[in-house]
Amino acid sequence: MDSKQLYQEVILDHNKKPRNYGKLEDATHRSEGLNPLCGDHIWLAAKIGGDRIESIAFEGESCAICKASASMMSVAVKGRTVAEVETLVEHFRAMTTGQEDAETSGRYLGRLTVFAGVKDLPSRVKCAILPWHTLHAAVNAEAVTTTEGDADPVARAAE
Ligand code: ZN
């Protein structure tokens, strides 16, 4: 299976059965993420105990790429420390904006490298990054985040 087929399989699978989708009643951290370019709008909730993400959930209206990214992210970050999660956020951002080669990203991101291809699809980069932005905002106690303005991942990468 080539990387394009794998990408499509993963997106389809996570859209059909999104992991950790729904509400998290005992969340300690929450954030809302907006990507006006596509219309993605998600809510993310996490329960952080000590410095570890004990549980995480997301919901909202989003396109397939955003939903699959959020679903895979939720699996990848569960049980990790906030510091580890911030490292993943940085590598995911670097990979999807083409700032890092796939091999380097792969050492940190594992299966999440299926999203490496979005760097060639500028209109989809923000869809893939939005859940990660929203998680970063949640762990830093920012209530709302957006892919526009100062937080624009594409603009940031160009700096
Ligand atoms: Zn989208």
Side-chain angles (χ1 to χ4, degrees):
M1 195 185 287
D2 67 23
S3 64
K4 202 166 190 173
Q5 280 174 306
L6 179 65
Y7 172 74
Q8 280 163 354
E9 290 253 322
V10 167
I11 301 280
L12 279 174
D13 175 50
H14 281 267
N15 271 281
K16 227 183 284 173
K17 295 174 290 178
R19 320 304 196 264
N20 303 299
Y21 191 86
K23 295 189 192 309
L24 192 64
E25 298 302 341
D26 57 351
T28 56
H29 292 68
R30 294 177 195 274
S31 195
E32 178 181 6
L34 295 159
N35 172 20
L37 193 69
C38 172
D40 303 315
H41 189 184
I42 61 168
W43 284 268
L44 191 89
K47 184 184 179 195
I48 301 178
D51 65 347
R52 212 168 273 279
I53 300 200
E54 292 178 355
S55 44
I56 181 166
F58 75 98
E59 60 183 340
E61 293 295 325
S62 63
C63 68
I65 292 174
C66 182
K67 196 180 208 177
S69 180
S71 175
M72 285 188 77
M73 178 188 79
S74 72
V75 173
V77 303
K78 211 173 190 174
R80 294 206 192 230
T81 66
V82 170
E84 287 170 341
V85 167
E86 294 282 44
T87 301
L88 289 183
V89 171
E90 283 306 313
H91 283 282
F92 192 88
R93 196 202 313 268
M95 175 182 74
T96 50
T97 53
Q99 304 295 301
E100 186 173 84
D101 64 88
E103 201 188 321
T104 307
S105 306
R107 281 204 292 276
Y108 294 91
L109 297 169
R111 289 188 45 141
L112 290 160
T113 52
V114 294
F115 288 99
V118 301
K119 69 174 188 291
D120 301 320
L121 307 164
S123 64
R124 316 308 300 203
V125 171
K126 290 178 180 181
C127 300
I129 287 181
L130 181 68
W132 298 83
H133 254 268
T134 311
L135 179 62
H136 173 77
V139 300
N140 288 285
E142 293 163 21
V144 183
T145 188
T146 168
T147 53
E148 300 305 307
D150 289 345
D152 189 324
V154 179
R156 267 188 59 153
E159 276 168 15

